[in-house]
């Protein structure tokens, strides 16, 4: 890849629908996973130019915390 590089992040209100719509059209880098430390669910893919793009959702991480860690 020539030029600048970077990772672009987007928040998706309807995470599952967004990931399902994107998945067949891109190169998946990391399929849907849960990040308990930060954003909830994540999905990473690269665009045709090789840039890494991540979508995240929902923004309320407490929805994904194990019961013992829920405030």
């Amino acid at each position: 890849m020539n030029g600048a590089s970077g990772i672009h992040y987007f928040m998706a209100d309807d995470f599952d629908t967004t990931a399902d719509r994107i998945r067949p059209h891109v190169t998946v880098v990391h399929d849907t996973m849960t990040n308990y430390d930060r954003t909830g669910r994540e999905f990473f893919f690269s665009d045709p130019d090789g840039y890494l793009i991540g979508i995240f959702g929902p923004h309320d991480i407490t929805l994904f915390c194990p019961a013992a860690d829920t405030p």
Side-chain angles (χ1 to χ4, degrees):
M1 175 167 54
N2 294 324
S5 64
I7 301 174
H8 306 282
Y9 301 94
F10 298 94
M11 178 68 72
D13 289 331
D14 189 346
F15 179 86
D16 290 320
T17 299
T18 303
D20 289 344
R21 288 183 65 196
I22 293 170
R23 188 178 286 108
H25 305 286
V26 298
T27 300
V28 176
V29 176
H30 291 287
D31 211 333
T32 303
M33 60 186 157
T34 300
N35 181 341
Y36 293 102
D37 294 332
R38 300 185 145 244
T39 56
R41 298 174 71 205
E42 305 175 342
F43 173 73
F44 292 94
F45 59 95
S46 60
D47 74 1
D49 293 320
Y51 289 98
L52 184 61
I53 300 171
I55 61 169
F56 305 90
H59 66 281
D60 185 356
I61 189 61
T62 61
L63 296 174
F64 292 97
C65 292
D69 293 341
T70 303

